[in-house]
Amino acid sequence: MKATDAAGPPVPPGEEPWTERELARVRARLWDDAAAARAEIRQVREHAAERLEDPAEGAGDDTADSGAKAFEREQELALAYNTRDLLAASERAIERMDAGTFGVCDACGRPIAKARLEAFPRATLCVTCKQREERR
């Protein structure tokens, strides 16, 4: 079943079914998040390429300066990896919407609460399973 079908993603008992407007809003947010992540990754790549092309970069730095620059580069890389992970999660959420599996917990197979998905549309676990995962 596609996310655009009348039934939409499953919801826990007692919750209202997803409306097409709600699904469209979540999908648009995921697309926006993915586009922002792609732009940020592109910017980091361009910045890294500029640094690699500058032969004088770091020339004459003392040990403290070199260490500070290395730390900054590591921080930038860590942020870029995190952004890449967020991009992949956003793309997976969109794929799940298309496949009709959006809103189903990967661990237990029960519906994920709408409020959770509206707040964090990349969620793949219901609150109970996420709490269990974090306790490990």
Side-chain angles (χ1 to χ4, degrees):
M1 176 186 330
K2 298 280 186 194
T4 56
D5 291 347
V11 293
E15 286 192 11
E16 292 292 319
W18 286 90
T19 65
E20 287 195 31
R21 174 178 264 167
E22 289 170 331
L23 285 172
R25 187 173 52 240
V26 170
R27 184 182 291 271
R29 179 174 169 200
L30 288 166
W31 278 110
D32 290 347
D33 290 350
R38 284 186 194 98
E40 187 174 332
I41 290 168
R42 187 172 37 256
Q43 183 180 16
V44 167
R45 283 184 183 153
E46 289 170 0
H47 184 58
E50 288 172 5
R51 279 196 309 227
L52 290 173
E53 291 174 0
D54 185 5
E57 175 72 24
D61 285 351
D62 64 15
T63 307
D65 288 337
S66 295
K69 287 180 181 179
F71 179 76
E72 283 181 30
R73 283 192 296 273
E74 287 176 19
Q75 290 291 91
E76 287 176 9
L77 283 175
L79 291 173
Y81 290 143
N82 185 48
T83 301
R84 192 174 61 197
D85 291 345
L86 288 174
L87 172 60
S90 294
E91 289 173 342
R92 276 193 307 273
I94 293 167
E95 290 169 3
R96 289 170 57 111
M97 289 180 103
D98 293 341
T101 58
F102 181 75
V104 177
C105 178
D106 282 352
C108 68
R110 290 186 296 234
I112 300 172
K114 278 176 63 175
R116 175 164 171 71
L117 290 170
E118 289 174 333
F120 186 66
R122 292 176 293 278
T124 59
L125 299 174
C126 66
V127 171
T128 304
C129 291
K130 185 64 176 173
Q131 288 172 337
R132 190 176 304 127
E133 178 188 81
E134 289 178 352
R135 277 188 233 127
R136 291 181 194 168

